[in-house]
Amino acid sequence: MIDHHVRFGPEDMGTTDADELIRLLDNHEVERAVLGPVGRWVAVDNREGNEALSAAIRRHPDRLLGYACVNPWYGIGAVDELCRALDAGLCGLKLEPARQGLRLLDPQLEPVLGAAEHRGVPVYVVTGVPIAAEPLQLTELARRWPGLTFVMGRSGRTDFSTDLIPALTAVPNIVAETAYNGPGDLRRIAGAIGAHRVVFAGDVPANDLGLELDRAARTGLTLGSLFS
């Protein structure tokens, strides 16, 4: 089992204690987890966040992975930071449009998406926020970037759950995430696109890892994974 998104960041929005996180993973028999920056590490202090993730991963290289985060408004600076963070060992790009001050279809995204495509890494997108990050907006973005794999973080929860199936079935390069979805919802998603296109995520510490694992287990499905 790989947890595809753990909130990692300062203040009260995430955790920065990698050792405590490893203990949590051990308690729930989760093999690996992917860290995703939150808070100001998403909005403005991208390099600080990426370096913190890289340091945590160096402490636990067999257990932790991490998404780099850059704010597309920084232009070429965002591209440079993304490449630097990937070279330092991070394994994907995380976008949180609502916190970064843009919409999913804004042209400011194109340079960083081009860099992600060139490096062959997945793009994790926090969805479910009106105007900024709706599931069908991600569908259109995935159409424009067929060479990228997108993870629909939170699978459109909470405001756009009814758009989820149409958004996922319209294109082949979006992967759904389990967080905040019940067993019935997950079975419907898997029935529409296949369980191989559904990945587990606990979204701790905002969410309860045991609860999310129980929801996923009750589906009886063998879920997919972006990372070996």
Side-chain angles (χ1 to χ4, degrees):
M1 175 65 73
I2 296 178
D3 186 334
H4 284 74
H5 191 265
V6 170
R7 298 189 189 202
F8 199 80
E11 296 108 24
D12 60 348
M13 303 189 69
T15 180
T16 52
D17 190 331
D19 295 331
E20 181 181 349
L21 175 59
I22 295 299
R23 289 191 291 272
L24 178 66
L25 299 180
D26 287 343
N27 288 341
H28 291 281
E29 299 182 344
V30 175
E31 180 183 359
R32 306 184 82 184
V34 189
L35 308 178
V38 292
R40 61 183 174 83
W41 287 354
V42 168
V44 290
D45 295 327
N46 301 150
R47 183 158 193 165
E48 178 185 329
N50 293 334
E51 289 180 343
L53 265 69
S54 297
I57 291 164
R58 285 194 297 271
R59 284 177 59 85
H60 302 281
D62 58 333
R63 305 297 301 279
L64 300 179
L65 302 160
Y67 299 112
C69 193
V70 296
N71 192 324
W73 283 107
Y74 288 131
I76 190 62
V79 173
D80 290 344
E81 172 57 20
L82 174 59
C83 293
R84 188 204 64 79
L86 294 175
D87 288 341
L90 301 187
C91 63
L93 168 65
K94 177 180 176 179
L95 297 172
E96 191 171 349
R99 190 169 297 276
Q100 293 173 320
L102 74 171
R103 294 178 296 181
L104 267 178
L105 298 177
D106 282 350
Q108 284 86 354
L109 280 168
E110 293 182 5
V112 294
L113 290 177
E117 183 179 50
H118 178 71
R119 298 295 292 264
V121 297
V123 180
Y124 181 97
V125 182
V126 178
T127 63
V129 183
I131 300 176
E134 302 171 14
L136 290 170
Q137 290 175 330
L138 184 58
T139 299
E140 178 57 29
L141 191 67
R143 265 201 198 99
R144 298 179 185 182
W145 294 88
L148 282 170
T149 297
F150 293 91
V151 181
M152 188 181 288
R154 305 180 199 174
S155 291
R157 294 289 177 182
T158 56
D159 291 343
F160 294 95
S161 58
T162 56
D163 291 343
L164 181 57
I165 299 299
L168 290 169
T169 55
V171 291
N173 56 324
I174 300 179
V175 173
E177 182 189 75
T178 63
Y180 307 103
N181 287 273
D185 298 314
L186 295 175
R187 289 191 197 99
R188 283 190 291 273
I189 294 168
I193 62 172
H196 67 288
R197 282 179 59 193
V198 184
V199 299
F200 174 79
D203 205 40
V204 297
N207 204 3
D208 184 272
L209 181 57
L211 172 63
E212 291 297 332
L213 286 166
D214 181 63
R215 286 174 170 172
R218 285 164 57 196
T219 66
L221 300 169
T222 300
L223 302 179
S225 177
L226 294 177
F227 308 101
S228 58

